[in-house]
Amino acid sequence: MSSKRPHILLITADELRKDALGCYGGEAVATPHLDALAGEAIQFQRAYAASPWCLPSRCAILTGQLPHNSGAYSNFRKCELSTGIPNLFQELKRSGYATSVHGKCHFSPVPYNETRADRTLPYEQFRDYYVSLGIDHLDLQDDKQVSVWFYDDYAKELDAAGYLEAYRRDTWDRSKAKVFPFPGPAEWHPDSWVGRKAAEYIDGYAEEEPLFCWVSFSGPHYPFDPPASYFDRVDMGKDKAMVGKAGEFDDPSRIHHLSFHGDGRGICDGSGPAPDHAQKNYSADYWRQLRKSYYANVALIDDQVGRVMEAARRRWGGDVLIIFTADHGEMLGNHGLWGKGDCGYEDVLNVPLLVQYPGKRRHLASQAMVMLTGIMATCLKTAGAPPIPTDGRDFQESEGLGGYRYIMSEGEGFLAVSDGRCKYIHVVKHGREHYELFDLITDPNEFDNVADRPEYAAVLAELRKEAANALMKKLLA
């Protein structure tokens, strides 16, 4: 195999809102390194995650398949990605690439019900499974909370440094409601550790094979826990006002009626630690501190992206495909919610996506509607590897074709489909069924469910047909 093929650097953040970045209009915190990358890359404005949950979205990135096709559709049900489904690691290795992951994998459901406040549990079987997918080198930090609950690579080093016990204490402390400063030096924050490990690996990489390197930050996913030194980077005077509408969830048929008003069954993440499990009970001070903490974590991630990019440029120059994105976004107080579970809002599904092809350093702002299932096709095509059937296509090709007519997002009991003008969301969960339709043109904040309005009957039928057709190709073919 020729060693002249480009290296591939995939950088992802977890639960990152597009508009938290300067290049996407954010002003509360500076993100100079990602802004610089955007200035010489294709910057997609309408890129969509395959799911509002980590596992199905990450497995879609890895396989190019939507969750209903890969079978990896839930954070909570035993449905880890099968080693028999073609994935990026395997396919690139067949074409002569070495593979590495630094940070979060989450290709298998975490056993949440086994977690304990008094100890951190073994995690070797998960690590072994991840490696079996085709990873040659793994520095595992499998989510902030997971590193508290389970002894992954980061947890072991954090424990040896003397900070794991304090991190576990703060993570389990209900009074903190997932918002607290990281209880240790900034260099030991999970995202600092991931950036350091990745940069060191790239700097020391001396193999002849080109490298596929996935740098997978677990922030700014909750807990909202930046190092205290990063708070000074945030200017809350430039923060955008939270989006909301009085009485928005008064109707029990709304998907997030229980998440907002509470009864313990609201699926949006912030309902768990909320007073009486009702996110309406969070105070203005709480929301301000949560948002400030989130932005501070974004600043830390931007620093680490800069660190990794510097190492990549130093070692490989322009001979590298660089992709930056997020597995999904975060509500961050909009609609009175934080989290992402069962959220079909643009806040969660419309993610940042920056793509810089080897040797091409020019900015192109694209309005083409694309999906993160295109990451696999883009990597394989750029690597000169044989193409395989997926639910995505090369981003450059998609941009040239004007994008997809429809995008889909899926998860356990959840499905959303959009044509860019209207979006349909269907949820069946806990013995309840909800469906919502939003007109993204007249109601860009997605306040008003118009699913039962006669004037929207045709578009509702069209989107439902598209969803049914997609599912039937797999389930009833």
Side-chain angles (χ1 to χ4, degrees):
M1 294 288 181
S2 169
S3 62
K4 299 299 182 182
R5 286 166 301 156
H7 302 276
I8 300 173
L9 178 60
L10 171 61
I11 306 175
T12 57
D14 191 343
E15 210 153 310
L16 175 63
R17 288 182 64 91
K18 185 177 75 172
D19 63 4
L21 305 179
C23 53
Y24 282 101
E27 298 181 345
V29 68
T31 52
H33 300 292
L34 284 165
D35 295 353
L37 176 61
E40 50 188 34
I42 304 176
Q43 180 177 357
F44 288 94
Q45 297 291 341
R46 299 201 296 167
Y48 286 87
S51 178
W53 287 281
C54 300
L55 184 149
S57 183
R58 289 169 179 276
C59 290
I61 289 172
L62 186 58
T63 65
Q65 296 191 31
L66 288 166
H68 76 267
N69 282 324
S70 73
Y73 63 90
S74 174
N75 271 20
F76 315 104
R77 190 181 295 269
K78 189 66 173 173
C79 61
E80 66 268 12
L81 183 65
S82 169
T83 55
I85 294 176
N87 69 55
L88 264 172
F89 305 131
Q90 296 169 352
E91 297 305 309
L92 287 171
K93 280 168 68 70
R94 288 192 181 99
S95 292
Y97 275 72
T99 62
S100 73
V101 175
H102 314 271
K104 181 169 180 173
C105 289
H106 202 172
F107 307 129
S108 178
V110 175
Y112 299 105
N113 61 341
E114 296 178 14
T115 60
R116 293 177 52 173
D118 63 338
R119 63 177 298 206
T120 300
L121 302 171
Y123 208 56
E124 289 307 312
Q125 69 181 79
F126 283 84
R127 194 184 196 286
D128 291 345
Y129 159 71
Y130 293 147
V131 170
S132 77
L133 292 171
I135 301 173
D136 293 324
H137 176 90
L138 175 60
D139 296 313
L140 183 60
Q141 195 282 298
D142 212 19
D143 180 81
K144 298 175 186 178
Q145 294 181 128
V146 170
S147 293
V148 163
W149 296 330
F150 297 99
Y151 222 46
D152 61 15
D153 297 339
Y154 166 72
K156 293 175 183 177
E157 293 192 17
L158 190 67
D159 196 15
Y163 302 113
L164 177 59
E165 185 176 348
Y167 200 20
R168 185 169 60 235
R169 178 200 64 218
D170 287 350
T171 300
W172 279 97
D173 188 342
R174 282 192 58 85
S175 70
K176 297 183 185 296
K178 306 295 184 184
V179 181
F180 55 85
F182 179 70
E187 61 267 24
W188 277 106
H189 187 277
D191 295 327
S192 298
W193 185 88
V194 168
R196 179 173 76 250
K197 290 290 185 179
E200 289 174 353
Y201 189 75
I202 292 170
D203 268 330
Y205 187 76
E207 306 301 320
E208 290 188 6
E209 298 92 348
L211 178 65
F212 169 66
C213 177
W214 187 345
V215 184
S216 181
F217 296 104
S218 65
H221 187 293
Y222 63 88
F224 305 96
D225 64 345
S229 59
Y230 274 83
F231 286 122
D232 289 342
R233 303 273 193 100
V234 182
D235 183 352
M236 291 300 287
K238 294 182 179 178
D239 186 20
K240 296 180 175 68
M242 292 192 298
V243 168
K245 181 179 180 180
E248 183 178 355
F249 298 122
D250 287 352
D251 184 347
S253 71
R254 294 299 302 270
I255 292 170
H256 289 291
H257 171 78
L258 296 178
S259 298
F260 186 74
H261 290 288
D263 79 344
R265 294 184 298 159
I267 193 61
C268 193
D269 313 56
S271 303
D276 297 325
H277 302 297
Q279 297 205 45
K280 68 180 181 182
N281 292 334
Y282 284 131
S283 69
D285 286 344
Y286 176 83
W287 284 120
R288 179 179 174 83
Q289 192 58 39
L290 183 151
R291 290 171 70 89
K292 185 175 183 179
S293 298
Y294 183 88
Y295 294 135
N297 196 171
V298 170
L300 170 61
I301 291 169
D302 185 74
D303 279 355
Q304 296 305 319
V305 168
R307 184 179 192 173
V308 172
M309 292 278 294
E310 182 181 354
R313 296 293 190 208
R314 186 165 53 242
R315 293 288 290 115
W316 304 324
D319 189 27
V320 55
L321 168 67
I322 301 173
I323 300 174
F324 174 84
T325 191
D327 57 357
H328 52 73
E330 156 67 47
M331 294 304 294
L332 207 67
N334 284 350
H335 302 267
L337 306 171
W338 70 254
K340 78 284 185 182
D342 275 350
C343 290
Y345 296 105
E346 294 290 289
D347 305 70
V348 169
L349 301 186
N350 183 199
V351 294
L353 176 62
L354 309 174
V355 183
Q356 184 182 77
Y357 285 85
K360 296 183 179 180
R361 300 180 72 164
R362 64 183 182 88
H363 176 69
L364 174 63
S366 175
Q367 293 293 331
M369 200 158 63
V370 299
M371 297 185 291
L372 298 191
T373 51
I375 288 176
M376 184 169 189
T378 300
C379 291
L380 294 183
K381 184 174 182 179
T382 303
I388 63 170
T390 67
D391 294 317
R393 63 187 176 214
D394 172 66
F395 289 126
Q396 205 162 228
E397 180 184 350
S398 270
E399 203 285 323
L401 293 171
Y404 288 94
R405 182 176 177 185
Y406 302 100
I407 61 95
M408 292 187 66
S409 182
E410 310 166 358
E412 183 176 354
F414 173 95
L415 187 146
V417 58
S418 172
D419 63 3
R421 298 166 293 130
C422 289
K423 182 195 300 173
Y424 175 67
I425 307 160
H426 198 133
V427 172
V428 180
K429 198 157 288 180
H430 303 313
R432 308 189 308 268
E433 180 178 13
H434 307 271
Y435 56 90
E436 296 180 351
L437 179 72
F438 296 112
D439 186 327
L440 301 177
I441 306 302
T442 64
D443 179 27
N445 289 320
E446 300 173 278
F447 289 141
D448 300 316
N449 177 20
V450 298
D452 292 328
R453 295 187 187 177
E455 63 268 32
Y456 287 94
V459 70
L460 179 64
E462 175 193 350
L463 295 177
R464 282 176 165 167
K465 182 181 74 173
E466 180 62 23
N469 285 343
L471 296 176
M472 288 180 73
K473 289 175 185 177
K474 168 68 176 181
L475 303 176
L476 298 173

